[in-house]
Structure formats: C-alpha cells, structure tokens
Amino acid sequence: MENERLAEKALKILRNRSIKAIKLAKKAILHEKIECEEARSALKYYISKWEDTTRPGVLSAACEAVGGNVDEVVPLQVALLFIAATMDIHDDIIDKSISKNAELTVYGKFGGETALLLGNALLVKGLIHLEEVTENLPRERKLLIISTVRDFLLKIIDAHLLELRLRNYKWDVMPEKCLSILERKAVDIEGHMRVGAIFGGGSPKEINALAKYGRILGTLLAIRSEFIDIYEPDELINRIKNEYPPLPILYVLQNRAEKQELKQILLKKNISETDINKILDKIYGVPEISRLLKYLNDKKEEAIKALKDIKKGPAKADLELLVSAMLEDI
C-alpha cells in the first residue's frame, strides 16, 4: 500500500469518517412518507448516488482533533448532510447540470421543478434535525453552532450570487475575480470544521485554528475541482454553455494570441481527448499557472501551520494528509 496515491488515501479517510452518517441520512429519507410517486422516485434516485464524504468527513476530523467523540457527532453530520444536499441540488438547477460523472443529476432526470422542491424538503428536514441534535447541548454551545451554520450558509449564498454575475462576462472573466469567488465558497468547508470543533468542545483557539485550516482546505478543493473539470468533457461543455470557463483556462484566455484558437476548441459540440490535451498544453505553457501552483503550495503550508496547536493524533495526521492530497496531479 506504500504506492497508494495521496488522493486515494484522502478519499478513504473521508469515507471512513462519513459512512455512518451517510447510512443514517439515507435511512431517514427513505422513512419519509411522501405521496407523490415522482417525488419518491427522485428521493430514491438521489440517495442512490449520494456520496458526500467531504463535508461530514472534515466535520468529524475537527471534532476529534479537539478531543470530541466521533460517534456522538454523527447526528450532527446527518443534519448538515441534509442541508448540503439542498445546496448541491439547487446548484445543479442554477448551473443547468444535466449530468455529473457520467450520471444524470436529479435536475437532469426529473426536471427543475421536482429538483427544486426536493431540495426544499431536504433543507426543512436538515434544519429540524439540527435543532433536535443540539437541543441537549449546553445553551451557549448550541447557540454558537446554530449561529455558525446560519452565518456560513448565508456566506455561501452570497458567494454564489457573486458568481452568477460573472457569467455575464464568460470569455472575459478575470482570473482574479474567479479566484476570489472560489476563496469565498471555501466558507462551506470552513463552516463544517468550525461546527465540528465547537461540538467537540474545543477552545476558542482550537476552533479558530481549525476554521482557518478549513478555509484553506476549501479553497484548495475548489481550485482542484477547476482543474478536474477540464478533464471531464461533459462538465467542461456544460461550464462553457451555462457558466464560464474553469480558472486555469481563464488564465490562457488573457492571451489574445491564444484566445481565438482556444474558444474554437471549447465551443465544439464534442470535446475529444486530443482537444483536452491541447487545452492542457496551453494551460501549462502560461507563467500564471506556475504562480497559481506556488500559491496553492504556500496555502498548503499555511494550513499545516494552522494545525500546530492541535493535539497530535489520528485526526491531525488525517488533516495534514488531506491538504497535501489537494496538490497531487495538478
């Protein structure tokens, strides 16, 4: 197993820390009494594809890192899984994402109306579950968790609203603007880690350290996803049609000599592996990408430094590995 890639190890860590919560969340959804047959089908379809391990995984790690019990935090993971599912389903509607990873989304299979209502139902379930999970906590800790969830959800919405405005510029989006949005969206991971640390009874210093780490990890995850989208033709085509190009491509588009040729490739109905290799050659040929990679490495080191006051143990080791895995193969 020595040759196992960091990304594979990271996935295992997140999966192991999430598996109980995901199973419970799926079970809770299936027990809901819904008369509408299409809605029941949409729910079953969604949970058959539902493998959000990142958010509950980092929440668990943050809880354990401050001395909390990872079994006791599972119900909280479940509550936030419901809320996160809402964001993901609604994002697919906004982005008009018919498919992801060669699988139809709920939006792609059942349409916008059903997807919207399904997302709303999961949000209600998540908020109710969050209230139930926190009701027996010390009042101060409960209020802090509730306010933290409220704050990071509102910040995520704000980031998405700002992102929508960029779509009007498509080919002329400035990379710096895109990077700023990605950094704002990182509040999602930051918020989950802050909540996990609060639930685990962390000190203010520990909570802030893990939140800082989470913001950096969230940024690295978001930028890594921008690179990954280039390797997935369906996702890349959807980005070009309904959004704007991934961050690495935006850097190339700043070069007028490259812009027209690159646009011709990206506007194809079908993007081949040869096309992707041409795009990658252009991306790794601009100096801005070297600077971006240095920025990512600096951020990784900053994240690891943020963990210096966290107790040694499996959680700290997991977090160090997770942030290192974000830079693999990009």
Side-chain angles (χ1 to χ4, degrees):
M1 297 299 288
E2 290 183 4
N3 295 324
E4 188 176 29
R5 297 171 65 250
L6 285 178
E8 293 168 347
K9 292 180 180 178
L11 286 173
K12 284 183 179 180
I13 287 169
L14 294 171
R15 190 177 296 114
N16 290 338
R17 289 186 173 277
S18 305
I19 189 167
K20 289 182 181 179
I22 292 173
K23 285 182 178 180
L24 284 174
K26 289 181 177 183
K27 184 177 180 180
I29 290 175
L30 289 175
H31 283 171
E32 288 293 328
K33 294 181 180 179
I34 299 174
E35 292 187 16
C36 176
E37 184 176 345
E38 184 174 18
R40 288 199 307 273
S41 297
L43 268 175
K44 289 179 180 179
Y45 181 78
Y46 182 75
I47 66 172
S48 72
K49 315 292 180 185
W50 194 14
E51 292 298 334
D52 180 0
T53 60
T54 302
R55 295 174 177 115
V58 298
L59 190 154
S60 167
C63 177
E64 184 182 337
V66 298
N69 187 315
V70 292
D71 291 324
E72 291 178 359
V73 84
V74 170
L76 180 59
Q77 289 177 292
V78 172
L80 293 187
L81 270 168
F82 291 138
I83 296 172
T86 297
M87 293 190 292
D88 289 342
I89 292 171
H90 286 177
D91 279 351
D92 288 340
I93 298 171
I94 294 169
D95 298 340
K96 297 181 176 62
S97 294
I98 302 296
S99 64
K100 282 185 176 178
N101 302 318
E103 297 277 2
L104 287 174
T105 61
V106 172
Y107 166 76
K109 187 174 180 65
F110 296 92
E113 294 87 352
T114 297
L116 178 65
L117 293 172
L118 175 59
N120 290 347
L122 288 169
L123 177 59
V124 171
K125 188 169 183 64
L127 292 174
I128 292 173
H129 200 66
L130 179 62
E131 174 64 27
E132 293 173 347
V133 167
T134 58
E135 67 177 342
N136 293 323
L137 291 176
R139 178 173 172 77
E140 183 178 347
R141 195 182 301 182
K142 171 184 176 175
L143 293 177
L144 188 54
I145 288 175
I146 298 296
S147 65
T148 299
V149 172
R150 178 199 64 204
D151 290 347
F152 85 73
L153 289 177
L154 289 174
K155 287 178 181 178
I156 292 170
I157 292 169
D158 185 53
H160 281 280
L161 288 170
L162 290 171
E163 184 179 45
L164 284 174
R165 293 172 60 187
L166 289 188
R167 296 183 184 185
N168 297 325
Y169 301 95
K170 187 161 282 195
W171 302 108
D172 299 312
V173 171
M174 297 300 294
E176 295 76 15
K177 288 283 187 182
C178 176
L179 181 57
S180 175
I181 297 296
L182 296 175
E183 289 172 337
R184 285 173 178 266
K185 290 167 75 173
V187 72
D188 187 0
I189 301 301
E190 175 190 356
H192 279 78
M193 294 202 68
R194 184 179 290 276
V195 167
I198 294 169
F199 186 91
S203 67
K205 187 175 183 180
E206 289 174 321
I207 293 168
N208 289 331
L210 287 164
K212 180 179 181 179
Y213 167 95
R215 187 64 172 256
I216 297 170
L217 177 63
T219 298
L220 298 183
L221 272 166
I223 295 174
R224 182 178 177 83
S225 294
E226 294 289 294
F227 278 90
I228 290 172
D229 282 352
I230 297 168
Y231 289 88
E232 299 179 357
D234 289 345
E235 184 63 26
L236 182 56
I237 289 168
N238 186 70
R239 290 267 319 241
I240 299 304
K241 181 180 179 181
N242 297 310
E243 304 174 54
Y244 54 85
L247 176 63
I249 292 176
L250 292 178
Y251 283 110
V252 182
L253 291 173
Q254 299 306 299
N255 185 321
R256 289 187 177 182
E258 298 281 9
K259 187 171 184 177
Q260 195 56 40
E261 183 182 352
L262 190 53
K263 282 179 66 176
Q264 289 178 352
I265 296 173
L266 294 170
L267 288 170
K268 286 184 176 182
K269 187 175 182 180
N270 295 299
I271 296 178
S272 67
E273 185 176 342
T274 300
D275 292 327
I276 290 174
N277 287 332
K278 287 181 181 178
I279 294 169
L280 291 171
D281 285 342
K282 292 181 182 298
I283 287 171
Y284 288 103
V286 297
E288 289 83 0
I289 294 300
S290 295
R291 289 195 285 270
L292 177 63
L293 295 178
K294 182 181 183 305
Y295 164 82
L296 296 179
N297 191 66
D298 289 345
K299 282 292 182 183
K300 181 200 78 171
E301 296 300 326
E302 187 181 345
I304 291 174
K305 187 177 179 180
L307 298 174
K308 63 181 175 57
D309 294 321
I310 301 302
K311 302 176 181 67
K312 291 183 179 180
K316 183 174 182 177
D318 285 353
L319 292 172
E320 289 176 345
L321 187 147
L322 285 176
V323 76
S324 296
M326 294 303 101
L327 275 64
E328 188 175 57
D329 297 333
I330 63 171

